[in-house]
Amino acid sequence: MTERGFVVHPTYRVRNGVPVLSLWGRLANGEAFVVEDDRHRPYFFVARDHVDTLANERDATIEETALTDFSGSPVVRITVSDPGRVPALRERIAQHGGVALEADIRFAYRVLIDLDVRSAVEIEGEPTRTRHGVLRFANPQIRPTELRPALRVLSIDLETAPDASRIYSAALVMGTTEEVHWVSTAKVGAAIAHPDERALLGAVFARIRELDPDVVVGWNVVDFDLRVLERRGRELGVPCRIGRDASPIRFQQDRGFTRQSRATVTGRMVLDGIPLVRDAMRLEDYRLETVARHVLGRGKLIDSEAPDAAAEIDRLYREEPEALVAYNLEDARLVLQILDKEGLFDLTVERSLLCGMQLDRVGASIASFDLAYLPELRRRGFVAPSVDTSRIGSGAGVTGGAVLD
């Protein structure tokens, strides 16, 4: 069978010593999918004059090529079995006065570059189903295609104790689904009551897997909502497994000057509303209250910067649970409505289709340039240098192009 899909999360894992490319996403027919391909190996290039540095590396295969670097010097291709070996070999070459070329490209993107695939992919093969219900294609034929995906976007918002030591409630909004889970034995409107926080966490994690979003959004969703869910789940013995497999959620922080936090949820993408809005408009601040009033003409039911806002949430939980549930649900709605009104999610998808980067990295200008530039460079018989990391964060001036309004 042949299907078209949108790659939400390109990644890889090492299985039995072999790197397995994993492309998670949503097919045009609405099914969640994963492509697993173990036929590719990581590689980079080095000038032929420096190949002796790796002569005794049993794990490195050296191949002659017809390619050159920018100076016209011939290069050889170095292939290894594990992507984790590339940084060490790159460093060894540098210590001997050489330069590794194209040695800073993430393995999953290396494969996509070679296949000339951006985010829209045509898949030819016979699928099976994983135990989590995802359509799995093993070593299929992969080709570039065109597709405007219909992705599922889930907004999450938590209300907690002032020190985030307890979760009071969690709102989930996706399409026509709008629900609030809260810790109580009392019935409050349509809210779903749970006897304790542990039960709430289990129900919320299960519900996220059932809704099966492609994208999870929120306001400060990485550094607050998801971190609190992961921490409280760990403390209460309820693992925060909300991806398309059994992997735990992982957190990272970019090494660049933005220091942006990211969350890895296997098979899904996490987008924080704050950087999306900050990239698109200039406001006095980027609190949800400020942005909502600017974009939608209305704000939060409680301004988080108001005096004793945390204490007010605490009071609502104890004395006016109906108001807390409404406040929680409205915050989750506001995020989706802001992104929709300004077209920011659609813009992010479009940028991904153009440059091939996953949705939370479309602003990574150098990596985005790689996916557009390297295939064309290769067709002309050249390989590119790796990024000069010594210039990152050094304050050294970089000459740029014109900035157009």
Side-chain angles (χ1 to χ4, degrees):
M1 65 182 292
T2 301
E3 298 284 356
R4 292 182 305 145
F6 180 87
V7 177
V8 173
H9 183 202
T11 185
Y12 80 93
R13 65 188 61 196
V14 176
R15 183 183 297 156
N16 299 323
V18 175
V20 180
L21 173 73
S22 300
L23 304 178
W24 299 84
R26 181 75 62 182
L27 295 177
N29 66 12
E31 291 252 36
F33 77 90
V34 60
V35 167
E36 293 191 330
D37 195 327
D38 63 6
R39 297 169 294 181
H40 303 274
R41 298 295 179 270
Y43 67 87
F44 60 95
F45 300 92
V46 67
R48 189 178 294 159
D49 295 343
H50 290 94
V51 73
D52 290 345
T53 304
L54 304 177
N56 296 322
E57 281 289 337
R58 290 178 296 176
D59 186 40
T61 301
I62 301 171
E63 303 171 80
E64 292 288 339
T65 76
L67 304 170
T68 70
D69 62 17
F70 283 178
S71 69
S73 300
V75 299
V76 296
R77 172 170 157 157
I78 310 298
T79 303
V80 295
S81 61
D82 185 344
R85 292 282 295 134
V86 174
L89 296 182
R90 182 177 62 206
E91 181 64 26
R92 177 176 299 182
I93 291 167
Q95 290 173 353
H96 287 79
V99 177
L101 307 169
E102 296 189 13
D104 58 346
I105 302 170
R106 298 184 183 195
F107 176 61
Y109 288 119
R110 173 82 272 174
V111 178
L112 293 175
I113 289 170
D114 291 346
L115 296 173
D116 207 12
V117 168
R118 305 293 168 86
S119 295
V121 61
E122 183 177 273
I123 309 164
E124 183 179 344
E126 292 303 317
T128 58
R129 284 203 184 273
T130 71
R131 62 190 180 91
H132 300 284
V134 178
L135 213 58
R136 174 180 177 270
F137 295 85
N139 291 344
Q141 295 300 309
I142 303 172
R143 292 179 289 269
T145 190
E146 293 187 4
L147 176 69
R148 288 295 180 275
L151 300 180
R152 301 181 185 180
V153 184
L154 171 69
S155 180
I156 294 179
D157 184 75
L158 298 185
E159 302 306 332
T160 72
D163 60 358
S165 61
R166 292 174 56 206
I167 297 173
Y168 293 155
S169 65
L172 305 176
V173 175
M174 187 179 84
T176 58
T177 297
E178 293 191 344
E179 56 192 48
V180 175
H181 297 255
W182 79 305
V183 178
S184 177
T185 56
K187 177 72 174 174
V188 175
I192 303 167
H194 302 279
D196 54 41
E197 191 180 350
R198 192 174 188 278
L200 177 141
L201 288 167
V204 167
F205 297 158
R207 188 67 174 126
I208 293 172
R209 293 192 297 269
E210 181 182 356
L211 291 170
D212 191 28
D214 302 295
V215 181
V216 175
V217 300
W219 212 256
N220 199 27
V221 67
V222 175
D223 282 336
F224 182 73
D225 302 271
L226 290 182
R227 285 191 184 273
V228 170
L229 285 173
E230 190 280 332
R231 176 176 55 80
R232 291 301 291 151
R234 180 164 27 88
E235 292 170 350
L236 295 173
V238 187
C240 184
R241 303 190 188 279
I242 57 175
R244 286 183 166 138
D245 68 359
S247 301
I249 188 171
R250 292 183 290 110
F251 297 95
Q252 309 87 33
Q253 189 173 57
D254 286 353
R255 290 177 293 178
F257 69 93
T258 64
R259 308 297 291 170
Q260 183 173 329
S261 297
R262 302 186 191 277
T264 298
V265 177
T266 302
R268 315 191 200 282
M269 193 50 51
V270 178
L271 295 180
D272 197 316
I274 297 175
L276 292 180
V277 170
R278 185 181 286 122
D279 284 349
M281 61 185 70
R282 295 291 171 263
L283 300 174
E284 59 183 277
D285 62 64
Y286 294 92
R287 296 181 294 119
L288 183 56
E289 167 73 13
T290 302
V291 177
R293 291 203 176 277
H294 177 83
V295 174
L296 303 174
R298 74 180 198 276
K300 294 158 61 75
L301 298 184
I302 303 173
D303 184 354
S304 61
E305 293 300 310
D308 296 323
E312 176 63 5
I313 291 170
D314 212 36
R315 185 191 70 79
L316 291 179
Y317 176 66
R318 289 181 282 101
E319 300 176 10
E320 296 183 52
E322 297 89 347
L324 177 73
V325 167
Y327 170 68
N328 192 184
L329 188 60
E330 178 70 354
D331 274 11
R333 286 176 181 148
L334 287 174
V335 177
L336 286 178
Q337 291 172 5
I338 289 168
L339 299 182
D340 182 63
K341 179 75 178 293
E342 292 298 312
L344 297 180
F345 180 71
D346 289 342
L347 175 63
T348 301
V349 170
E350 188 68 23
R351 293 175 71 181
S352 182
L353 288 167
L354 286 170
C355 72
M357 297 298 293
Q358 64 191 45
L359 295 171
D360 73 335
R361 293 187 59 82
V362 295
S365 56
I366 294 175
S368 298
F369 187 69
D370 283 345
L371 272 80
Y373 180 71
L374 293 182
E376 198 61 39
L377 191 68
R378 186 61 45 79
R379 283 189 276 270
R380 286 161 167 74
F382 294 97
V383 298
S386 302
V387 173
D388 182 1
T389 56
S390 65
R391 300 178 67 188
I392 298 176
S394 66
V398 178
T399 301
V403 178
L404 305 180
D405 187 353

